[in-house]
Amino acid sequence: MTKLIVDGTEIDVPPEYTLLQACEAAGVEIPRFCFHERLSIAGNCRMCLVELKGSPKPVASCAWGVRDCRPGPNGEPPVINTKSPMVKKAREGVMEFLLINHPLDCPICDQGGECDLQDQAMAYGVDTSRFKENKRAVEDKYLGALVRTSMNRCIQCTRCVRFCTEVAGVPELGAIGRGEDMEITTYLEGALTSELQGNVVDLCPVGALTSKPYQFTARPWELAKTETVDVMDAVGSAIRVDSRGREVLRILPRVNEAVNEEWISDKTRHVVDGLRVQRLDQPYVRVDGKLKPASWGEAFAAVAARLKASSKGRIGAIAGDLASVEEMFALKELMAKLGSVNFDCRQDGMAVDPAQGRASYLFNATIAGIEKADAILIIGANPRKEAAVLNARIRKRWRASPIAIGLIGEKVDLTYPARHLGAGPETLADLVAGKLDFSKILQDAKAPLIIVGSGALARHDGAAIAALAAKAAQTFGAVADGWNGYCVLHTAASRVGGLDIGFVPGQGGLKAAEMAAAGTLDILFSLGADEVDVGKGTCVVYIGTHGDRGAHRADVILPGAAYTEKSGLYVNTEGRVQMGRRATFPPGDAREDWAILRALSEAVGTKLPYDSLAALRTAVFKAHPHLQRLGEVEPADAAAIARLAKTGGTPEKGPFYAAVHDFYLTNPIARASAVMAECSALAAGAATATAAE
């Protein structure tokens, strides 16, 4: 530790700290524009100037290391002043220069009220301007469907450039020109292609980059803010939902170091308009081949009549990708009361089974644990599209000290160098047998990480591939004391929660694909299961939010609540239990899913024993105690990996295909979003374009 004196207070800080970090450790606020904790140091805004005793001029605290400070003539600790007249004058001068060319856009700027430049001009600037010359004008740039530019406001802090290059791994933004001609641009002025591009709006300290879908919609002081979690993938990113009245207007990230740090994907951020359109707001019953509006009583009566004519072996239920734990638990209880063991939360047919142990289906190393890995093998997954924020964590690990990353499956750009080892199970078998060079890399690694994706486990031979991957984890020492590197990457927010409560077929029960086959069931309850095509001859009772695939096939529609309109538990891919909170209310006659199931159970004569969400949660916690430990990951017994490896099986030949083909259109809410549709079209165009174009 190194001693410093900051504004008369002596502190001890690590020598690798910068002066800015040291001052903040002493409780002193240092203004900054270009500096950001998660980006490299640029040192180009000079707003963070402080006085270092002995230095002839102020120093940039973000770029000056503690170890570079000289002690006094008699060995006294270095002295830093942050409130001296020199510092005050320097900051006023820097602010004056920044405002020379800045337009007077505050009344009409989307960043107004949340602008760092606005705040710091008030705190550190002067009250008048000495400049009468014309301001510089910069042409706005086209960056795609999500980011709007107003480059007259840009102060060239380069945060956006560094984010795209370092965090997102898609270096599409950069600076051209020198001096007053310097501009931030995409060089060829094309749409950004990163799945994380919306984060540059949060990073921009002025209004140069703003959200295009949100522009001119609301001011920050008009919005009610609700802290919740994202369900667009299985990462469970921490988000804040901003709403006005009954309408969600935007979604922003919250800091959660263990999961998403402070980034969110573009789908998480901009799916907002999909919450407003194509909504189911009243029950429907199919009469003479056409869906017609009905009352709740009529809809329940139609379900009860169909159940009465069905045997218990021909009743089933499938849970979709966005369902919360409570509603799946209630549906499972309803199935039990109806005498059915046909229920499944794995609508894609993923070969994971809670009977094999919780470690067999979790991302056991945890998302933060990725940073401890020293070799990574990815099997049948494309983390960039399946879990963009998790992919950024892998890139962060690679940037810290480049490690070997192997990929078995489709050859894709993951934003970091990955060695393509092969396409299918035969490559994985060769790797386990030590026939590939990468085998030695994994063998020599102290903390190898093996990521198995839905693209490998959702095949017909998924169980055999899971066993082979578990065997690889054992062979290469991925499962050892203090480290479990066997990681399953899910794509559905509901999947781990459903597996935790045992929402899988009971003894002799049917799986999702079997239930969807024509003529297998008399009645099927679909809890937002829009990715399953149900055959003819089955009466489908759809409990969901949007007029998507599931509603088109349904015979009875019971309108439910979207994730922003209900409170519910979700368990992310690493097994972390998180609470989603209600920001707005469902439209029209739509109700929360658990309440629909409770009312339906009474209408069909099998009343569920809870009348409130609190009572339902009490039942959930009693049956599964680990679900009440919010924010924590319940450690799973690694012995499950050894049991899984022993199950064996012979994988079929054939390449792995990624589970997510279109990042922007993976669920009913996203498919209802015009913004996501535009992003999907831009991504498809970028994928087919050639260099000549």
Side-chain angles (χ1 to χ4, degrees), residues 87 96 114 160-161 258 302 330 338 432 450 495 577:
V87 174
E96 195 172 16
E114 299 174 310
C160 56
V161 176
L338 293 172
V432 174
I450 296 178
R495 188 64 47 81
V577 184

Side-chain angles (χ1 to χ4, degrees), residues 148-304:
R148 174 179 175 266
T149 62
S150 184
M151 301 312 290
N152 286 336
R153 305 169 187 161
C154 181
I155 61 171
Q156 288 92 37
C157 70
T158 69
R159 278 187 180 183
C160 56
V161 176
R162 284 175 284 148
F163 173 83
C164 289
T165 303
E166 299 166 11
V167 179
V170 186
E172 295 172 315
L173 282 177
I176 59 172
R178 293 172 65 84
E180 71 169 346
D181 295 323
M182 180 179 172
E183 296 181 27
I184 304 297
T185 178
T186 56
Y187 305 117
L188 299 177
E189 229 173 289
L192 299 177
T193 60
S194 170
E195 295 78 14
L196 299 168
Q197 62 182 277
N199 291 289
V200 300
V201 173
D202 296 333
L203 288 171
C204 185
V206 296
L209 301 177
T210 55
S211 172
K212 189 175 283 188
Y214 175 72
Q215 62 182 338
F216 312 128
T217 300
R219 288 297 195 183
W221 52 83
E222 300 177 282
L223 305 175
K225 302 168 178 63
T226 306
E227 295 187 350
T228 181
V229 294
D230 173 51
V231 299
M232 292 296 111
D233 54 31
V235 174
S237 300
I239 59 173
R240 192 188 83 195
V241 175
D242 288 357
S243 58
R244 184 174 58 191
R246 296 178 69 95
E247 189 176 14
V248 174
L249 296 183
R250 69 173 177 179
I251 294 175
L252 297 176
R254 289 188 294 120
V255 176
N256 186 338
E257 298 292 348
V259 182
N260 61 306
E261 297 182 297
E262 62 183 82
W263 318 123
I264 55 174
S265 73
D266 295 333
K267 183 167 53 177
T268 298
R269 184 186 298 269
H270 291 295
V271 80
V272 170
D273 63 317
L275 291 166
R276 298 191 286 264
V277 298
Q278 297 183 22
R279 289 301 301 270
L280 301 172
D281 59 359
Q282 67 181 79
Y284 289 84
V285 175
R286 191 176 295 276
V287 179
D288 298 328
K290 292 185 178 180
L291 287 169
K292 296 184 178 180
S295 67
W296 279 103
E298 291 169 342
F300 288 159
V303 177

Side-chain angles (χ1 to χ4, degrees), residues 342-611:
N342 304 321
F343 43 83
D344 202 347
C345 64
R346 306 162 301 182
Q347 61 174 340
D348 59 359
M350 197 174 181
V352 286
D353 189 348
Q356 293 173 333
R358 199 163 182 256
S360 68
Y361 60 83
L362 291 185
F363 200 96
N364 292 290
T366 72
I367 295 171
I370 291 172
E371 298 182 30
K372 301 176 184 177
D374 53 3
I376 300 176
L377 174 65
I378 301 172
I379 304 168
N382 180 354
R384 181 174 175 181
K385 292 187 181 295
E386 295 171 24
V389 173
L390 184 144
N391 192 63
R393 185 81 74 148
I394 298 176
R395 176 174 170 79
K396 179 183 178 183
R397 172 63 191 92
W398 173 80
R399 287 190 72 245
S401 58
I403 60 173
I405 302 174
L407 173 64
I408 301 177
E410 292 184 75
K411 191 173 184 179
V412 291
D413 177 12
L414 296 174
T415 72
Y416 42 82
R419 191 184 307 181
H420 188 246
L421 306 176
E426 53 274 16
T427 304
L428 179 57
D430 289 343
L431 189 72
V432 174
K435 297 179 181 178
L436 302 180
D437 294 342
F438 203 80
S439 302
K440 188 172 189 319
I441 293 174
L442 290 172
Q443 194 71 60
D444 294 343
K446 295 180 180 178
L449 192 69
I450 296 178
I451 300 175
V452 190
S454 299
L457 300 182
R459 298 174 16 142
H460 293 299
D461 58 345
I465 293 169
L468 188 56
K471 186 177 179 182
Q474 285 195 306
T475 301
F476 300 122
V479 181
D481 290 341
W483 177 254
N484 187 342
Y486 180 81
C487 300
V488 177
L489 179 58
H490 294 277
T491 57
S494 66
R495 188 64 47 81
V496 175
L499 294 170
D500 276 358
I501 65 170
F503 200 92
V504 293
Q507 185 69 33
L510 301 176
K511 296 180 180 179
E514 296 169 330
M515 285 187 273
T520 304
L521 298 179
D522 290 334
I523 185 166
L524 174 67
F525 292 90
S526 171
L527 188 60
D530 290 86
E531 319 306 323
V532 173
D533 295 322
V534 183
K536 295 180 180 179
T538 302
C539 174
V540 177
V541 179
Y542 178 74
I543 305 172
T545 59
H546 286 71
D548 202 68
R549 300 167 186 168
H552 292 168
R553 173 60 184 84
D555 296 286
V556 178
I557 294 176
L558 306 177
Y563 71 105
T564 57
E565 300 160 359
K566 61 187 176 186
S567 178
L569 294 170
Y570 296 91
V571 187
N572 75 350
T573 191
E574 60 183 346
R576 188 180 304 275
V577 184
Q578 301 184 102
M579 176 74 77
R581 294 178 174 84
R582 182 173 62 195
T584 59
F585 290 90
D589 288 336
R591 296 293 183 266
E592 294 185 37
D593 302 58
W594 76 267
I596 294 172
L597 291 165
R598 164 63 181 79
L600 177 62
S601 70
E602 187 168 6
V604 300
T606 54
K607 183 178 176 182
L608 293 173
Y610 22 78
D611 297 324

